[in-house]
Amino acid sequence: MEQKTITKYNILEKYFGYKSFRKGQETLIDAILSGQDVLGIMPTGAGKSICYQVPALMLPGITVVISPLISLMKDQVSALNQAGIHAAYINSSLTENQIAKAMQYAAEGRYKIIYVAPERLETQEFVNFAEHANISMVTVDEAHCISQWGQDFRPSYLKIVQFIKILPKRPIISAFTATATEVVKEDIQCVLGLCNPEVLATGFNRENLYFAVEMPKKKDAYILDYVTEHSSESGIIYCSTRKNVDAVCDKLSKEGVAVTKYHAGLSNGERQQNQEDFIYDRCPVMVATNAFGMGIDKSNVRYVIHYNMPQSMENYYQEAGRAGRDGEPSECILLYSAQDVMINRFLLENKEQNTEFTPEERKAIRERDEERLSMMTRYCTTKNCLREYILRYFGEQGEKECGNCSNCQKEFEELDVTKEARKIIECVLELRQRYGINVIAGTLRGDNRAKLREYHVADYSSFGALKELTEPAIKEIMEQMMAEQLLFRTNDKYALVKVTRLGREWMEGESRILLKKAKEDNFAKASLNSSQTSAKTKQRKSDILNSRGLELFDLLRELRTTIAREENIPPYLVFSDKTLVDMCVKLPFTKEEILSVSGVGENKSKKYGERFTNQILTFTNGEKEKLYFGEVEEVLNSTEHSRTGKENGKTKNAKQDFSLTAQQAIEFPYEEKYLVTEIAEQLNRLRDPNTTKKITGAEIFRFIMSEELASQTFYGRMPKKEVSEKGVLAGLFLGPRISKTGTEYQDIYYNEQAQSMIVEHYTRDKNS
Ligand code: ADP
Ligand code: ZN
């Protein structure tokens, strides 16, 4: 029989259901297939797994994947099995019997991919197996754990090197990580002994994440509002202490939120149970300490809120990065308060130090920790683009303004605080640079605190020099002066504020100092600039669906939940949200057609295809409706692009886009006022359903916006509609409406004049 060569594209499509590789994936796969070692540095969600799973299926022998995270292993293996790939994991969560069985199967060559925990590598049974097996590749996941300079150093990772040495033939080594600074990168290559590797870093930027720092007066109220507003979505709330976790979780649960929690104070059983409730979407909201999340592969986490500031940018980016692994727009919000800095200082001071290190090393580590904390604090107080800050921290160059973070979306004004800054420096010098920020601010305010009395600060001439300012305001100016290097804080636990040389020179000179302050009324501003800001706010994939599309999407989601329950797997292992959206766009009716949907491979098509196509057939009555906005090309480009150029969603009985004949138009039942959806409804009654497609309210509203009669802004993600001056003249006006949940909001109404303008727009052969 003729042997067809199987390409990496075949594998990608057959098993994973994707049509093309993403940035970087192909380079790494090609290198591996040509026998080269690789190091892939790609952010979470970029698709590292495919980089070793695809070659693993093409190499002659077995691929051993070393991963520190037990839960992740289980997940990855389930996902592979779902895709029809033979894989197994071996770690301490299995019984001795199960391990023996897995080892036996492995020795018989039944698995192409085996996941193991690093500790497992030196056990006798694994060594026996490895000495006789044909291991083509060793993949090191979370490779930064091998570096002592990383923040997740795991001594057990050093065992990998010995393990590779005992193998009869040196395998290809592929290493992957999401976080690696220059030193860590060097370390990985050096310690693992990578041989002339292909090193590829795709960049840290996660375009689909929106970053925000907020300083709410009441964090609890903020969280409750946010969670209620996003009630259909899954999210994680991180707190720095167990006590906070308990409190926030209680509060949300009292308000009826399906919430669960995770911290080291819970029993193993409870932790396991709660984690599963979260992963299986039984409790879509998780409140947790940073003990939670390592190895959580839940792809549809829509938001990560930090109730407290973490200790470093590394921690923050890793935790926040658990949002939006599926590439859909998601939000990362940090709730900052000055107290967080103090809590973190305290935690650092009481951190247990690894006894393997010498005193000098420990001192160096402590200093690095301090530095990390201060960089984290600066992230919370910067007025510049947050994304740019993050990227710069990780050694990359970002754009000056990303347009998709809270600072880029805020309007700032600049206050001249030169006079105040001078008084601050005078005060610091007068107090002989022996105090921290609290004493200085208190002195300038002229406070009568016990501590201040003890220091006799009332005797100084600076006492009360800025009594008209609040304490936070003084501190804010001081932070700005530190950012501009006029002041600095000593790097010890006293954190004394001192004046730099630059600061002294500045006192002699004429230059001014400006403080960027958020304008109070951001909301109004954001709406005024609607065209600008809304263009920048990222749409999520499901936003491309019109209301009928969303209806179908919800039905498919329900079906997915049902299947997940039956099979006892997390819903996202059936299909991702993105795949469901693509189904709503392409409307596959057969098992063959469903293969053209992104994320549907052969195995899943066989297993689930029919149930989904049946649902779609019932919903659409076998008619290929258009359930999305925009042009097909546009939509397909925005989901992952089709390489094979298969016919997608080809319409059986091609209908014309919506329009009316002049005769039909005359029959429009004009009223004093209509909402846009009502106009759509009336228009649809007039059309000939056999030849003409439906029109939706959203489509009409897009026409209205293109005429600049109205605009729509999203504040967070709450839409706010506004009528322009031109719109008022055309007969549009705002009026109250009541939502399904009973809240009142403003929507746009159209008077008769406006109605006739719309009817005319959709009327063909107007002159005849
Ligand atoms: P990482 O390990 O880098 O965090 P994953 O390997 O978990 O990322 O991949 C993230 C998501 O992207 C998964 O849902 C995966 O199926 C999807 N994905 C990966 N590669 C592709 C591709 N070429 N086309 C479409 N989706 C992809
Ligand atoms: Zn920005």
Side-chain angles (χ1 to χ4, degrees), residues 384-388 400-408:
N384 299 325
C385 176
L386 295 174
R387 187 182 311 273
E388 200 269 337
K400 243 186 134 41
E401 283 189 20
C402 74
N404 194 24
C405 75
S406 57
N407 282 353
C408 284

Side-chain angles (χ1 to χ4, degrees), residues 18 20-22 25 43-50 297 325 640:
Y18 299 134
S20 59
F21 287 103
R22 286 188 184 152
Q25 285 178 332
T44 313
K48 290 185 280 297
S49 331
I50 296 271
D297 201 13
R325 291 186 72 129
E640 223 102 21

Side-chain angles (χ1 to χ4, degrees), residues 12 16-23 25 42-53 72 76 141-142 176-178 206 297 299 321 324-327 572 576 578 598-599 640-641:
L12 184 70
F16 301 96
Y18 299 134
K19 318 296 171 220
S20 59
F21 287 103
R22 286 188 184 152
K23 209 167 132 192
Q25 285 178 332
M42 299 155 109
T44 313
K48 290 185 280 297
S49 331
I50 296 271
C51 298
Y52 59 84
Q53 289 168 349
L72 190 77
Q76 291 266 13
D141 205 4
E142 312 287 345
F176 296 90
T177 176
R206 305 259 324 266
D297 201 13
S299 64
R325 291 186 72 129
D326 53 8
Y572 62 84
S576 70
K578 206 168 176 172
S598 171
E640 223 102 21
H641 200 63

Side-chain angles (χ1 to χ4, degrees), residues 56-201:
L57 295 175
M58 300 176 72
L59 293 169
I62 301 169
T63 291
V64 173
V65 183
I66 298 155
S67 162
L69 312 164
I70 292 182
S71 55
L72 190 77
M73 274 187 218
K74 186 169 161 224
D75 227 43
Q76 291 266 13
V77 169
S78 313
L80 287 171
N81 293 339
Q82 279 287 89
I85 296 166
H86 297 284
Y89 61 89
I90 298 173
N91 63 34
S92 58
S93 74
L94 301 181
T95 63
E96 283 303 315
N97 267 340
Q98 287 172 318
I99 292 181
K101 188 123 227 166
M103 295 302 316
Q104 186 198 329
Y105 285 170
E108 289 168 11
R110 291 215 207 172
Y111 305 125
K112 274 312 265 183
I113 305 179
I114 303 174
Y115 284 77
V116 293
E119 299 78 20
R120 189 66 36 193
L121 297 174
E122 48 171 16
T123 61
Q124 196 51 49
E125 51 193 345
F126 201 81
V127 170
N128 285 345
F129 153 73
E131 279 174 347
H132 298 103
N134 175 15
I135 296 178
S136 292
M137 174 160 72
V138 169
T139 294
V140 184
D141 205 4
E142 312 287 345
H144 60 279
C145 292
I146 207 164
S147 166
Q148 308 207 6
W149 300 112
Q151 10 100 56
D152 292 324
F153 172 58
R154 286 172 189 247
S156 62
Y157 256 60
L158 297 173
K159 294 181 180 143
I160 299 171
V161 187
Q162 280 127 44
F163 171 72
I164 291 171
K165 284 206 185 110
I166 62 155
L167 297 178
K169 190 173 143 256
R170 186 187 185 277
I172 300 166
I173 303 175
S174 54
F176 296 90
T177 176
T179 52
T181 51
E182 257 332 288
V183 228
V184 174
K185 198 162 112 188
E186 293 290 316
D187 231 21
I188 295 173
Q189 298 188 50
C190 187
V191 180
L192 274 179
L194 297 185
C195 201
N196 180 30
E198 171 79 41
V199 179
L200 184 124

